[in-house]
Amino acid sequence: AQSVTQLGSHVSVSEGALVLLRCNYSSSVPPYLFWYVQYPNQGLQLLLKYTSAATLVKGINGFEAEFKKSETSFHLTKPSAHMSDAAEYFCAVSDQGNNRLAFGKGNQVVVIP
Amino acid sequence: DAGVTQSPTHLIKTRGQQVTLRCSPKSGHDTVSWYQQALGQGPQFIFQYYEEEERQRGNFPDRFSGHQFPNYSSELNVNALLLGDSALYLCASSLIGIGGQGYNEQFFGPGTRLTVL
């Protein structure tokens, strides 16, 4: 079964600084990988996805992630944090074709002015 | 396009009761998946409905059941509620279409917050 690991439940970053959220996956087959964002009292919004095309994936709001098979990683980055980036971020994995997502525990991002 | 809608927004029940949550998928979508998100945790897959049948199921007891209607909307039913069932229940819709394979982006609704006392 696929799974993802996100370390560090709370991440504090200064406004304008690099945002780096780590995600490592475990999958017996080539995975599809996703990052979602969740704002308070809202559902999940897709930030970006890797579906076996380009390994560097660009998403919305200036975020990007790189798929590294050798490291089984799919870390999320943003060069310069904005106050509006304060939210919870989830990494997720699915087998190609089954549309069933397995989520990590999430990272709560706090942006310090 | 209204996107994925869920009702009710909030719900309070007592232990042992039964609850029904509802989901309307995004226009044009034919598949509905349900997830449970406990406080401080990531969502966990409950089950998925396609062509009015349960297509996949996660590690949840039989107290959790569902239904999909001909208009693709869906219900999640939970019987004999436990305190541990308190969570945000998320519905996600996607388009699988003919053949039933391949990745299709899932769009999430805002969720139903269930509190069991």
Side-chain angles (χ1 to χ4, degrees), chain B residues 1-18:
Chain B
D1 185 357
V4 180
T5 59
Q6 294 186 242
S7 63
T9 306
H10 295 84
L11 204 50
I12 299 175
K13 293 286 188 179
T14 57
R15 282 177 295 175
Q17 286 189 311
Q18 178 265 342

Side-chain angles (χ1 to χ4, degrees), chain A residues 3-46:
Chain A
S3 65
V4 294
T5 301
Q6 293 179 250
L7 297 178
S9 59
H10 285 76
V11 175
S12 294
V13 59
S14 297
E15 190 176 15
L18 171 72
V19 179
L20 170 61
L21 302 180
R22 300 178 186 274
C23 174
N24 288 90
Y25 71 89
S26 172
S27 178
S28 58
V29 297
Y32 286 173
L33 292 158
F34 310 83
W35 278 99
Y36 283 86
V37 62
Q38 186 176 35
Y39 297 99
N41 300 314
Q42 293 188 27
L44 301 172
Q45 181 183 11
L46 181 66

Side-chain angles (χ1 to χ4, degrees), chain B residues 32-90:
Chain B
V32 172
S33 300
W34 287 92
Y35 292 82
Q36 181 196 65
Q37 185 179 13
L39 198 61
Q41 301 294 318
Q44 289 199 347
F45 177 78
I46 302 175
F47 43 52
Q48 182 181 88
Y49 277 83
Y50 171 66
E51 294 187 336
E52 301 181 47
E53 292 187 359
E54 185 182 288
R55 192 166 183 257
Q56 300 184 71
R57 189 179 183 91
N59 189 25
F60 279 81
D62 292 344
R63 298 187 297 109
F64 289 77
S65 63
H67 189 77
Q68 185 179 34
F69 299 93
N71 67 352
Y72 306 116
S73 67
S74 177
E75 289 182 347
L76 164 65
N77 300 292
V78 187
N79 294 322
L81 284 167
L82 304 174
L83 295 179
D85 295 331
S86 295
L88 179 68
Y89 288 84
L90 295 166

Side-chain angles (χ1 to χ4, degrees), chain A residues 64-95:
Chain A
E64 66 180 36
E66 186 172 8
F67 173 70
K68 292 187 176 180
K69 184 178 179 180
S70 61
E71 299 177 8
T72 61
S73 69
F74 189 58
H75 302 330
L76 181 72
T77 60
K78 181 175 180 178
S80 177
H82 191 272
M83 296 301 294
S84 61
D85 295 327
E88 189 147 24
Y89 293 80
F90 293 95
C91 182
V93 64
S94 77
D95 281 345

